[in-house]
Amino acid sequence: MPSHRFPRLPGQVALPEQKGAAPSPARLEPFNSASAEAAERALLTCLRSLRWAHRLADHRPYPDLDALLAAADEAAYDLTPGDLAEALAGESLPSLPEDAYGAAHMALNAAHAAYEARFGHAFVIYLGDTPEGEALDHVLAGIRSRLTNDPEEERVVAAEELRRLAGQRLGDLLRGAGNCATSHKGAALGR
């Protein structure tokens, strides 16, 4: 299964590496003082919803990471079905570990195809609390269990998973852990 990644967005806000420490107000300064367009481009690497990115960029400055993450949560809860569809369309398929066996690729491809055929959008799941060695099993179990949801119930579940992914990606970005889209503790399965 090929690895898919978000393309790099030009003009992404450069934020200092912070070695896992929570950003202080001074460390949020590059994000808070960036142009609206640059902040939105950075935010779109965390969640591909223009409305979400505009809202967070428009409400700067944030005094600390907790305030920004709270605002990100609130904005994610307010996503319309159209906003959710836009965000789900921007999710990508993570690469499996190199040592994953062929049957795992086939099982994941089949489960994802069934999910996408049923719901018409990418499968997303937050893996922040899942040990790395259990991620594939967790993803497969998640797809299989969520295939029984009705479409409205699954929209609510997918929105919650996206909200959690966006918060984790945003925290990673501001801590200097890299681009939001390449976060290793969340997973999104898409086209």
Side-chain angles (χ1 to χ4, degrees):
M1 177 164 53
S3 172
H4 300 280
R5 299 278 184 222
F6 286 126
R8 296 267 321 158
L9 296 173
Q12 184 174 355
V13 178
L15 298 171
E17 184 174 342
Q18 297 175 24
K19 307 253 187 226
S24 68
R27 290 183 177 163
L28 282 176
E29 182 54 32
F31 174 76
N32 282 334
S33 64
S35 70
E37 295 80 19
E40 288 169 6
R41 281 191 299 269
L43 290 164
L44 286 170
T45 67
C46 298
L47 183 67
R48 293 286 177 111
S49 166
L50 289 171
R51 182 175 180 208
W52 181 84
H54 290 308
R55 184 168 169 185
L56 291 176
D58 288 348
H59 287 93
R60 292 173 303 142
Y62 295 96
D64 55 37
L65 180 61
D66 289 340
L68 175 56
L69 292 176
D73 271 358
E74 183 180 328
Y77 282 126
D78 292 342
L79 293 177
T80 66
D83 298 328
L84 179 59
E86 175 187 43
L88 286 167
E91 290 298 317
S92 62
L93 187 66
S95 58
L96 288 175
E98 287 186 29
D99 61 347
Y101 51 95
H105 289 275
M106 286 186 356
L108 188 56
N109 282 335
H112 181 260
Y115 179 92
E116 195 165 287
R118 173 146 169 74
F119 298 111
H121 61 77
F123 175 79
V124 292
I125 189 167
Y126 174 77
L127 297 174
D129 304 326
T130 306
E132 280 189 42
E134 297 174 19
L136 178 60
D137 291 337
H138 189 74
V139 169
L140 286 170
I143 291 175
R144 289 180 182 137
S145 71
R146 287 168 52 187
L147 277 168
T148 63
N149 291 346
D150 65 59
E152 178 56 26
E153 181 182 17
E154 182 55 25
R155 186 191 69 74
V156 170
V157 172
E160 175 63 14
E161 295 296 311
L162 272 176
R163 182 195 66 77
R164 294 177 73 196
L165 279 168
Q168 190 249 323
R169 290 169 176 168
L170 185 55
D172 285 353
L173 176 73
L174 294 174
R175 285 184 191 97
N179 184 307
C180 287
T182 61
S183 173
H184 69 282
K185 282 295 198 172
L189 299 178
R191 298 182 218 288

